[in-house]
Amino acid sequence: MTLFRLAFLSLKSRGMTVGLTILAIALSVVLFLGVEKLRTGARASFTDTISDTDLIMGARSGSVQLLLYSVFRIGNATNNVTWESFQDIASRPEVSWAVPISLGDSHRQFRVMGTTPAYFERYRYRGGRPLAFQQGRVMADLFDAVVGADVAEQLGYVVEDPIIVAHGLASFSEHEDTPFRISGILEKTGTPVDRTVIVSLEAIEAIHVDWQSGAQKPGAPTPVDRLREMNLRPKAITAAMLGVESPLQIFTVQRAINEYPEEPLLAVLPGVALQELWGIVGIAETALVGVSAMVVVTALMGMSAMILSGLNARRREMAILRAMGAGPWAVVALLMIEAILMGAVGAATGVVLLYLGLAAIQPWLDYTYGLFIPITALSAREGLLLVAVLAASALVSLLPAVRAYRMSLADGMMIKM
Amino acid sequence: MHHGAAPAQPDTCAVDVNDIRFSWPNSAFSMTVAEFRVPRAERLLLLGESGGGKSTLLSLICGVVAPDQGSIRVAGQELTQLSAARRDRLRANKIGVIFQMFNLLPYASAIENILVPLRFSPERRARCASPRDEALELAAALGLPRNLVTDEPASNLSVGQQQRVAVARAMIGRPEIIVADEPTSALDKKAQAEFIDLLFDQVAQAESTLIMVSHDERLADRFDRSVQLSDLAVTSGVAAA
C-alpha cells in the first residue's frame, strides 16, 4: 500500500468533487494549449506562405503593409509601381528573377491577381514547395485564368468553366463583356493562393481598356477581337517578388530600390517584415497567453481550496496514518501527491480534449479564416507548459499540506472530533 | 545514536516510564508519571475515565509527543533521545495501535488497511515473507470472510468487523507492543468477549505486550494485571482529549 495508492483511493472516494476539480483543470489546459496551438499555427501559417523570395518590392508605404497586401492579400496598396521602374529594377545584374503582381480586381469574394507565368515557377511556400496543378495548366490565352483550390471548391469550378472578373473589390460593376475561362486549378497550399484567381498582367490591362477611374467609358465596349490586337503592355503593377543572385546582394538591391530616384519605392525582406508583424501582434498574443495562464492558475487555486475545505473531514484519516507510524511529512506528501495526481489527470484530459477539439474545428478554421492548424504532437514548449501545470499543482497544494502538517502535529494520533 | 550509552533493559520491559512531566502546548493540562513499567508479553489493563489523561499517556508511549522531562523507554529505546521522525519510525516498527472505533481508512479495502503499517515499517515488512498472504491469514484467523476483506471498501463492514480488521492491522508484522484504546466500547457484550478472545489469541501467538485502556472494570480478571490510571498519573487542568 503505497502513498500513491492511498492518494488514488482517497481521490476516488470523493469522485464528484474530484471529478469537477479535474474537469476545471482540464478545460483550463485546453484553453491554454489551444491558444498556444492557434498562436503558433497562425505564425507557422503566415511564415509558410512565402519562401525562397528574397525581396518584395512595392510603392513606398510601411513594410508590414506591403507584406500584407502583396503576400497575404490583406488590405490594399496605397500606390502602384510603374512598369518602367519595375523593368529598371528587374534588369539590374544582381536580380536573378522578378515576378510582377497586379491586384485590385475580384471574382465573387476572391481576389484576382495579374502576374506572369514565371509566378508559377518562382512562388514557393512551406519551405520551398512549388505550386502544382490538380487540373489543367498555366494560362495560355489572354482570357485564361488559374484558380486556387478554395476558389474551385467553394464555387464548384472545373477547367473550361467561364468566369467573370469584377473591377475593384466587392464591386457591383462586373466586367461582363470580358469573360474568362478557367485553364487550371491549383492544388491546396494552405496559403492565400488557394483563395486567389490568377490571370496574366495583359488580361488585367485588357479588362480595363474600357474603364477609367473605376467607371465604364460611355459607348460600346471594345470587342474581344480588338482587345487581342491591342498593345496590352501594363502601365503599372502593384508589387513584385524578386530573387537575387547571391544572398550577399540582397541588401544592395534593397538599398537600390529604396533609393530609387524616379519613384518612391520600398523593398522588404519577407522574414524581416514578418518579424515586424510579430512585434505588433506580439502584445495581443502575450495578453492572450497571460489570460489563459490566469485561467489555469484559477483552476489550480480551486483545487487548492477543494483540498483545504476537505481537510477537517479528513482529520481522522490523518490520525490513523499517524498512528500507523506515518510522520507528518507523509501526510504532507499524501496531499501533494493528491494534488499532482489531479493536476496530471486534468492535464492529460485537457490534452485529449484539445486534440478532439482541434480535429473538430480544423476544417471550419481553414474554410472560414484560411487558417490551417496542423494537428501535430505537442511541442517542447507545450510539453513544458504541462510540466509547469504539474509543478503549479504541487505548489498550490503546499497551502493545504502545510495546514495538514500543523493539524497532524497538534492532533497526533488522537482524533479530536 | 546512543544505543549503548545507557544500560538497556530490552528483555524485561516493553514500556518503562520514569519521572516524566508533560504539558500540552497552549493548554493548561499537565501530567506527571513517577513510574510505569510494563514487562514484556504482559497483558495490562489500564483503567480510567476519559479526561483522566489516558490519551496523553498513550501519545507519550507512542512517541507522538515527547515529555518535558523524564525518561520513556519503549522496546529498549529511550524516546527522549530520538527526533520526532525517529519516534514515528519507532512507533511504526514496534507498536500496533487499535482505536475505539472508525479505525479504518474508509475508502480502502480491509486488506489494504491491514497492509498500511508495512508501508511505514521496514522492520515489520521484513517479518512478512508474503504480506498479502499474511494479511489474509490474519483476517481469516479473526473470522473475517475473505470476500469482505478483499472486495469491499472498509466502510461497508460492520463495526465489529472493522474492529477485527483493526486487530489484524495492529498485528501484521508482529510488533512488540499492542496499544488498544477502548477497542470494545462500541461492541455489544457478546461481541466484546469474542473480540477479547481473538485479540488475546493473536497477542499470545506474536508474543506481544498488550496495553489496553478501558473504563470497564469487569474486564480486569481476564488480564495479567490491571492498573488505575489515577494511581499512576497525577494530572492538573482539563485534558484536551
Side-chain angles (χ1 to χ4, degrees):
Chain A
M1 189 80 163
T2 59
L3 280 182
F4 184 85
R5 175 143 177 84
L6 272 181
F8 172 75
L9 288 172
S10 174
L11 287 177
K12 214 176 98 184
S13 72
R14 290 171 285 150
M16 192 73 167
T17 357
V18 169
L20 282 175
T21 307
I22 287 176
L23 188 66
I25 295 172
L27 290 179
S28 75
V29 166
V30 169
L31 184 70
F32 197 26
L33 290 183
V35 163
E36 195 61 20
K37 282 272 183 214
L38 276 180
R39 202 174 67 84
T40 51
R43 279 199 177 206
S45 168
F46 263 69
T47 311
D48 281 350
T49 295
I50 188 155
S51 66
D52 297 1
T53 292
D54 295 320
L55 286 169
I56 296 169
M57 171 188 125
R60 189 165 300 164
S61 58
S63 51
V64 172
Q65 192 191 2
L66 172 58
L67 180 81
L68 287 179
Y69 72 69
S70 64
V71 178
F72 298 103
R73 324 260 192 273
I74 297 170
N76 292 301
T78 47
N79 230 324
N80 282 338
V81 178
T82 61
W83 184 250
E84 287 71 27
S85 303
F86 167 68
Q87 291 285 12
D88 241 16
I89 303 292
S91 59
R92 287 183 69 92
E94 303 96 335
V95 175
S96 64
W97 57 268
V99 174
I101 58 175
S102 186
L103 295 157
D105 288 278
S106 70
H107 171 70
R108 312 285 277 269
Q109 71 271 42
F110 301 108
R111 297 250 180 154
V112 173
M113 182 181 79
T115 186
T116 60
Y119 182 81
F120 297 94
E121 280 165 46
R122 295 302 180 183
Y123 178 80
R124 297 289 158 96
Y125 66 101
R126 205 169 295 165
R129 273 200 232 180
L131 294 172
F133 283 84
Q134 48 170 296
Q135 274 183 54
R137 60 192 65 81
V138 178
M139 53 272 187
D141 184 69
L142 180 60
F143 293 113
D144 275 356
V146 169
V147 296
D150 288 353
V151 179
E153 197 197 314
Q154 288 180 35
L155 301 179
Y157 286 154
V158 291
V159 166
E160 297 296 334
D161 276 354
I163 65 169
I164 290 165
V165 175
H167 183 53
L169 299 170
S171 167
F172 296 106
S173 52
E174 296 202 331
H175 300 238
E176 282 172 39
D177 27 280
T178 48
F180 283 77
R181 182 190 67 104
I182 293 172
S183 71
I185 295 170
L186 293 170
E187 292 278 7
K188 178 118 183 133
T189 61
T191 72
V193 172
D194 296 344
R195 309 177 60 77
T196 306
V197 175
I198 302 170
V199 297
S200 66
L201 278 178
E202 290 77 17
I204 296 279
E205 283 303 311
I207 55 183
H208 293 114
V209 162
D210 291 331
W211 293 65
Q212 207 161 45
S213 314
Q216 201 157 9
K217 282 181 191 169
T222 313
V224 168
D225 293 345
R226 261 273 296 140
L227 282 176
R228 287 187 190 283
E229 289 159 16
M230 286 174 73
N231 175 14
L232 293 170
R233 200 192 70 159
K235 292 170 202 66
I237 58 167
T238 311
M241 293 156 48
L242 301 180
V244 173
E245 291 289 348
S246 143
L248 299 171
Q249 294 166 333
I250 290 176
F251 295 101
T252 317
V253 177
Q254 188 186 24
R255 199 174 324 111
I257 294 171
N258 288 340
E259 293 168 1
Y260 188 68
E262 321 286 324
E263 194 178 355
L265 295 178
L266 174 71
V268 296
L269 282 81
V272 174
L274 264 179
Q275 281 309 313
E276 209 175 304
L277 179 63
W278 299 145
I280 300 164
V281 181
I283 299 162
E285 278 184 343
T286 309
L288 212 55
V289 170
V291 167
S292 54
M294 283 312 290
V295 174
V296 175
V297 170
T298 309
L300 291 177
M301 297 288 275
M303 175 177 75
S304 179
M306 173 241 157
I307 298 175
L308 203 56
S309 68
L311 277 189
N312 250 328
R314 297 175 67 195
R315 284 183 111 135
R316 178 172 296 277
E317 187 182 330
M318 289 172 215
I320 291 167
L321 290 173
R322 291 282 279 134
M324 299 303 108
W329 286 111
V331 173
V332 168
L334 186 70
L335 290 182
M336 291 187 75
I337 290 172
E338 283 183 12
I340 294 168
L341 256 178
M342 281 192 273
V345 174
T349 312
V351 170
V352 171
L353 289 178
L354 172 78
Y355 280 107
L356 289 178
L358 272 184
I361 66 163
Q362 189 190 39
W364 176 80
L365 270 181
D366 188 20
Y367 187 87
T368 318
Y369 296 104
L371 184 62
F372 183 77
I373 306 297
I375 296 185
T376 50
L378 291 176
S379 67
R381 184 183 149 94
E382 288 156 350
L384 216 62
L385 291 180
L386 289 180
V387 173
V389 168
L390 292 193
S393 304
L395 199 67
V396 297
S397 75
L398 280 179
L399 184 70
V402 164
R403 206 180 136 86
Y405 178 88
R406 293 226 180 100
M407 269 175 161
S408 69
L409 269 191
D411 290 359
M413 50 180 247
M414 299 309 150
I415 300 149
K416 300 167 185 168
M417 304 189 69
Chain B
M1 296 310 301
H2 311 276
H3 284 294
Q9 300 159 306
D11 294 317
T12 57
C13 276
V15 174
D16 187 355
V17 175
N18 279 294
D19 285 325
I20 56 161
R21 174 180 185 83
F22 174 78
S23 57
W24 285 98
N26 312 319
S27 158
F29 182 81
S30 70
M31 182 171 84
T32 57
V33 178
E35 192 187 83
F36 174 47
R37 286 213 175 89
V38 186
R40 215 154 256 259
E42 185 181 48
R43 288 169 299 187
L44 174 79
L45 182 66
L46 204 53
L47 286 164
E49 296 301 323
S50 50
K54 58 176 190 172
S55 294
T56 304
L57 183 60
L58 293 185
S59 292
L60 283 162
I61 291 169
C62 289
V64 175
V65 290
D68 303 328
Q69 61 181 63
S71 141
I72 302 179
R73 300 187 70 83
V74 171
Q77 284 263 14
E78 177 57 60
L79 289 189
T80 52
Q81 286 172 2
L82 300 179
S83 65
R86 294 195 70 102
R87 294 200 306 267
D88 288 336
R89 174 59 61 88
L90 185 77
R91 173 170 74 257
N93 280 333
K94 306 292 186 189
I95 304 176
V97 178
I98 306 165
F99 292 122
Q100 189 172 357
M101 59 192 302
F102 304 124
N103 263 288
L104 308 182
L105 301 172
Y107 46 76
S109 68
I111 187 157
E112 281 170 318
N113 266 286
I114 295 171
L115 291 172
V116 167
L118 303 188
R119 161 68 182 73
F120 300 104
S121 168
E123 197 174 295
R124 284 163 73 180
R125 190 169 49 221
R127 283 193 205 117
C128 298
S130 162
R132 198 182 147 80
D133 290 344
E134 303 226 359
L136 286 172
E137 265 172 46
L138 271 170
L142 288 161
L144 292 160
R146 188 181 163 123
N147 64 328
L148 213 59
V149 172
T150 53
D151 301 342
E152 299 281 329
S155 51
N156 286 4
L157 272 58
S158 73
V159 176
Q161 286 165 337
Q162 290 192 25
Q163 289 306 85
R164 279 183 273 165
V165 173
V167 172
R169 185 179 58 185
M171 296 304 311
I172 190 128
R174 296 187 296 287
E176 288 165 43
I177 303 162
I178 300 296
V179 169
D181 185 6
E182 302 257 18
T184 59
S185 65
L187 304 177
D188 62 45
K189 198 158 172 57
K190 181 168 168 285
Q192 269 186 11
E194 273 178 23
F195 178 87
I196 301 257
D197 287 340
L198 288 169
L199 179 60
F200 278 15
D201 273 357
Q202 291 303 319
V203 167
Q205 270 184 38
E207 296 171 0
S208 304
T209 309
L210 173 66
I211 301 173
M212 182 166 142
V213 177
S214 177
H215 60 273
D216 189 353
E217 298 192 18
R218 288 168 301 180
L219 296 172
D221 54 357
R222 303 209 49 185
F223 284 77
D224 297 333
R225 181 164 70 110
S226 68
V227 177
Q228 287 288 344
L229 188 64
S230 52
D231 296 342
L232 195 69
V234 181
T235 63
S236 69
V238 180

